[in-house]
Amino acid sequence: LRVCWVNKKKEYNCCECEKCFRNMLALYVSDSLEKCKTFNRKLDLDKLKNTRVNEYVLKYFVALLKALKLKKDKSKVFFALEECIKNNKNPNFQQGIERNIRDFIRLVDQKYNRNRLFWYLSARGFI
């Protein structure tokens, strides 16, 4: 299963981006994450807590959280996902500033630089 588009350090799946988290969480909910060999690292819960997602992915994360509640799963993954959702719905002041700056840089890079800054930084493992 290959889902990652970031492809950090030429890995099959980086296990750190939002798309990898999305799929790893779905596999975790279905008790299949350990069986999937292409996700060779465990969920980085600290990174998950601070991951920024759009409104559609946020709805997906909420659905996964509900599935974990139905399973009565109160693991560290459950609490990290809960915090990720909370941080995306109501970011604190510092998170809001950081997101606005990142969004501005992303838009300038897309519009005037054809995403060269993004590809440069991602190829070197910075993002």
Side-chain angles (χ1 to χ4, degrees), residues 14-17 20-22 24-26 28-29 33-34 41-52 61 65 68 73-88 95:
C14 75
C15 300
E16 295 177 358
C17 70
C20 284
F21 279 141
R22 223 182 332 164
M24 290 173 77
L25 287 168
Y28 177 81
V29 169
L33 182 58
E34 294 80 27
R41 286 189 257 150
K42 293 185 177 191
L43 278 163
D44 185 348
L45 300 180
D46 291 328
K47 199 164 251 192
L48 174 62
K49 291 175 188 177
N50 298 313
T51 298
R52 181 176 182 202
F61 280 4
L65 188 66
L68 287 173
D73 183 325
K74 296 292 183 180
S75 64
K76 291 179 181 180
V77 174
F78 175 86
F79 294 111
L81 183 58
E82 194 173 49
E83 191 167 334
C84 174
I85 292 168
K86 184 187 79 166
N87 288 340
N88 278 280
Q95 289 169 331

Side-chain angles (χ1 to χ4, degrees), residues 51-102:
T51 298
R52 181 176 182 202
V53 296
N54 64 36
E55 63 186 87
Y56 303 107
V57 176
L58 188 60
K59 289 178 185 177
Y60 181 72
F61 280 4
V62 169
L64 288 174
L65 188 66
K66 287 179 184 177
L68 287 173
K69 283 181 184 177
L70 288 174
K71 289 177 62 174
K72 297 183 182 348
D73 183 325
K74 296 292 183 180
S75 64
K76 291 179 181 180
V77 174
F78 175 86
F79 294 111
L81 183 58
E82 194 173 49
E83 191 167 334
C84 174
I85 292 168
K86 184 187 79 166
N87 288 340
N88 278 280
K89 284 186 176 180
N90 303 314
N92 65 31
F93 181 75
Q94 181 181 352
Q95 289 169 331
I97 296 291
E98 288 172 0
R99 289 177 181 183
N100 288 339
I101 291 170
R102 260 195 325 251

